[in-house]
Amino acid sequence: MSLLFFGEMMLRLTPSIAQQQLVCAEQLSVDFAGAESNVASSLALMGHECHFVTKLPSNSLGDHGVASLKKYGIQTDYICRGGQRIGSYFIEMGMSIRPSKVVYDRAYSAFSQISNDEFDWPSILSGKRWLHVSGISPALSTQCAVETIKAVKIAKSLGVKVSFDLNYRRSLWDDSQKARDYFSEILTYSNLAFGNAGVISDVFDYQTPDISENELAQVISQHSLEHLGKTSQRSWYQANDLAKFLRAKFDVDFAMTERVHHSANQNTLTGFYITSTTCSFSAPITVEIKDRLGTGDAFAAGVLHGLERGWHGQLIAQFANAAFALAHTGIGDQNWSNEAEIQYIADGNLSGHIIR
């Protein structure tokens, strides 16, 4: 049994000099990445059988993209070739008070121009345990949205579990109502949703209601969480509330990250994994940031890895948050850490002392 991923893989271009601004960069480092392929690469590196479904042009850049997937151990048999170009994005890494920036150049990419019936979903999904999709694909074209919905519908009918990362990118949508309509239909066929407070607010116009300190104290007491600090108590309350909102509408489990932003180079991270019966959460990890692109995908991979291993919720949340944190410390969208390295951080080894 294996995992299947559907989405666009792009050319990633970053100034070769660390933290250099795009406006003055003369040399760019080249890599390939995408929300769904990032999750696949993490899981493949942890020993899972992963298959990627996409469309790439029949040229040297497309060939390079396929080769980049293979180096992680991802199966590429379901990749369709054709179209005119590969989508690209340019990343300017932030520093201190200057935020990171992403510039997309993906219009008319091969993936965005997919046509009906290019993918034989019943055959592709046969024997798979999970299908992972994201909210980026439906933003790229009407046919990408139609194909994503078709894939999750067929997956559901075949008993394949569906995980959906809401991944709302404001710059890709003209209308948040259209995103809400597409996301709602995808969630109807999903088992697990990934997201955060920001995306649920942007897409579904829902925010956790404010409550007083006394009201919060009563809720915390009911769940015997008095040992948590005040900030963690409110984080738990918000995560639990957002999970209830999604479960009431779509009957899905929910995994989310919380990021306390200190600067472009330092964040404090917490992970949550919430089912109909439990709300599990990690200890927070404060991390210095080398590259934050793709870090949420490392979290998603951590959750799926834990589910495939049959772990309980607390272990899943702790492991996924450790993967999330570690991904901030390397260059590139992909998280190259293996299970043992992630578990070492999940166990609380955060000093960064040399291992030899």
Side-chain angles (χ1 to χ4, degrees):
M1 295 295 239
S2 56
L3 299 92
L4 187 74
F5 303 83
F6 174 63
E8 181 172 36
M9 188 176 68
M10 295 188 296
L11 190 65
R12 169 187 155 131
L13 299 159
T14 312
S16 298
I17 299 174
Q19 276 81 40
Q20 188 178 35
Q21 293 173 272
L22 285 168
V23 69
C24 59
E26 295 183 350
Q27 294 185 335
L28 299 172
S29 296
V30 177
D31 200 357
F32 293 85
E36 304 82 4
S37 64
N38 294 343
V39 182
S41 64
S42 288
L43 285 164
L45 288 168
M46 287 190 283
H48 298 274
E49 182 183 326
C50 297
H51 300 259
F52 192 59
V53 183
T54 193
K55 185 173 184 178
L56 291 169
S58 298
N59 57 31
S60 296
L61 288 177
D63 294 342
H64 193 176
V66 172
S68 75
L69 293 169
K70 289 181 177 179
K71 74 180 180 183
Y72 303 108
I74 299 170
Q75 302 296 310
T76 60
D77 296 347
Y78 302 133
I79 292 179
C80 181
R81 303 299 296 272
Q84 297 301 309
R85 64 187 300 260
I86 188 171
S88 304
Y89 66 115
F90 299 77
I91 302 170
E92 179 182 300
M93 294 300 172
M95 169 62 78
S96 184
I97 60 173
R98 176 169 59 83
S100 298
K101 296 179 182 177
V102 178
V103 178
Y104 290 110
D105 178 22
R106 65 198 308 174
Y108 307 109
S109 68
F111 183 79
S112 71
Q113 301 296 297
I114 58 175
S115 58
N116 192 34
D117 296 328
E118 283 199 79
F119 304 106
D120 182 1
W121 288 113
S123 175
I124 291 171
L125 286 161
S126 177
K128 307 302 187 296
R129 284 177 58 85
W130 285 92
L131 167 65
H132 180 76
V133 297
S134 88
I136 294 175
S137 296
L140 302 180
S141 68
T142 299
Q143 186 55 41
C144 282
V146 168
E147 204 68 29
T148 304
I149 293 167
K150 183 195 300 184
V152 299
K153 281 183 176 180
I154 294 173
K156 187 79 169 181
S157 72
L158 294 175
V160 178
K161 295 178 182 178
V162 175
S163 65
F164 176 46
D165 190 336
L166 276 68
N167 252 347
Y168 178 74
R169 300 286 187 264
R170 295 185 187 93
S171 62
L172 297 179
W173 292 94
D174 296 325
D175 181 6
S176 62
Q177 179 60 52
K178 185 181 292 186
R180 181 186 300 188
D181 292 342
Y182 284 143
F183 285 18
S184 294
E185 188 161 5
I186 295 167
L187 283 165
T188 299
Y189 299 96
S190 298
N191 303 86
L192 172 63
F194 292 97
N196 55 41
V199 71
I200 292 174
S201 174
D202 287 341
V203 176
F204 296 105
D205 195 25
Y206 179 82
Q207 299 86 34
T208 297
D210 288 330
I211 60 172
S212 68
E213 289 297 330
N214 287 337
E215 290 171 320
L216 177 62
Q218 290 177 8
V219 174
I220 292 299
S221 177
Q222 291 170 4
H223 292 85
S224 302
L225 296 173
E226 293 89 347
H227 61 284
L228 297 179
K230 291 295 183 183
T231 300
S232 295
Q233 289 178 4
R234 284 205 172 269
S235 296
W236 175 89
Y237 175 75
Q238 180 186 57
N240 204 40
D241 178 73
L242 296 174
K244 287 179 179 177
F245 169 78
L246 287 176
R247 180 162 292 279
K249 289 180 69 69
F250 306 110
D251 191 27
V252 291
D253 293 340
F254 182 51
M256 70 167 272
T257 57
E258 183 187 63
R259 183 188 296 273
V260 178
H261 186 93
H262 307 298
S263 73
N265 305 105
Q266 187 185 73
N267 289 179
T268 297
L269 314 170
T270 308
F272 297 85
Y273 172 64
I274 306 167
T275 69
S276 60
T277 57
T278 60
C279 177
S280 303
F281 55 96
S282 72
I285 299 175
T286 298
V287 64
E288 303 297 320
I289 300 170
K290 192 73 173 176
D291 184 340
R292 64 162 285 180
L293 275 293
T295 55
D297 304 321
F299 175 81
V303 171
L304 290 169
H305 177 71
L307 290 171
E308 284 296 279
R309 290 286 189 264
W311 294 346
H312 61 75
Q314 184 59 42
L315 185 55
I316 290 172
Q318 196 74 9
F319 183 87
N321 194 54
F324 182 40
L326 268 177
H328 287 75
T329 66
I331 298 294
D333 277 58
Q334 285 76 24
N335 181 17
W336 279 91
S337 301
N338 60 38
E339 181 179 328
E341 291 167 334
I342 297 170
Q343 191 60 55
Y344 183 75
I345 300 301
D347 290 339
N349 299 294
L350 307 178
S351 66
H353 288 159
I354 190 168
I355 299 174
R356 50 178 153 189

